[in-house]
Amino acid sequence: MSGGTVYIVLFRGVGGKTQLPVAPLREKLALAGFENVATYINSGNAVVRSALPRHEVVEKVADVCAREFAFDKAIYAVARAEWTALIANNPFPDAVDVPKFLHAAILDGDPPEERLAALRDLAGEGDRLAVVNRVAYLHTPGGLSQSKLGEKFDKGIGVPNTARNWNTVLKLAELAAAADA
């Protein structure tokens, strides 16, 4: 084993017509030289270990996905230590009791303050939004699809992003820990 960093790889826009089948994805990533490859549900989540720097991991994964699956959307790679910090930095610890109503969105930059204010203005009863270290935490206790804040978040935040619910966040942490063992 060559060691390296464990990355949680998040694919934007998987679902509906855009699919990344997990078993073939695992196989192709392993053939590309990634170690300890794991995938989680058909919504665009993988864990890999690599000695490559992050930008090369993203490039290599993107190349595999374009060639093998005709997938050309954004790909994010978050180091395991960063993922652990993402969990620790959750500003809504009371929201983890119903993890499907708490989302963490990896942001591709700092959102403009006026965009955040506009989103917060849409918040319904109990809805909350906070950004910590380029991660947006979105708590919609009535359900993401039932919330105006949830409905407008993706485009309203003003920066490219990809979000996962807290169940997925925790499962990916578990898979990353196993890949790092």
Side-chain angles (χ1 to χ4, degrees):
M1 173 161 340
S2 67
T5 302
V6 170
Y7 290 99
I8 293 164
V9 181
L10 306 170
F11 303 87
R12 178 171 163 81
V14 174
K17 289 185 264 180
T18 304
Q19 293 296 314
L20 273 175
V22 291
L25 178 62
R26 261 193 321 271
E27 176 191 339
K28 298 300 182 185
L29 291 175
L31 287 172
F34 292 108
E35 298 176 337
N36 300 6
V37 178
T39 52
Y40 179 63
I41 62 176
N42 269 338
S43 63
N45 308 288
V47 173
V48 301
R49 184 179 194 139
S50 177
L52 296 173
R54 179 191 328 259
H55 73 279
E56 289 183 32
V57 168
V58 171
E59 287 171 10
K60 194 171 193 177
V61 170
D63 180 60
V64 166
C65 290
R67 186 177 63 249
E68 301 292 340
F69 306 105
F71 181 86
D72 64 355
K73 296 182 180 178
I75 297 171
Y76 298 78
V78 182
R80 179 179 176 219
E82 295 165 334
W83 200 258
T84 300
L86 175 155
I87 293 168
N89 290 337
N90 170 20
F92 308 128
D94 59 320
V96 300
D97 294 343
V98 186
K100 69 180 180 179
F101 296 144
L102 177 62
H103 288 75
I106 306 302
L107 305 176
D108 208 7
D110 295 317
E113 193 52 50
E114 64 273 10
R115 293 290 196 113
L116 292 174
L119 283 171
R120 287 187 183 109
D121 286 346
L122 297 171
E125 189 172 333
D127 288 350
R128 298 180 284 176
L129 170 66
V131 176
V132 181
N133 299 333
R134 289 197 176 166
V135 177
Y137 297 86
L138 188 61
H139 181 225
T140 54
L144 190 66
S145 64
Q146 302 303 311
S147 164
K148 284 235 185 291
L149 172 60
E151 180 188 322
K152 302 287 186 189
F153 173 81
D154 186 47
K155 289 192 175 34
I157 192 82
V159 292
N161 69 87
T162 190
R164 299 297 182 274
N165 76 32
W166 207 250
N167 285 320
T168 299
V169 167
L170 297 178
K171 183 60 177 180
L172 291 171
E174 194 180 298
L175 292 172
D180 214 7

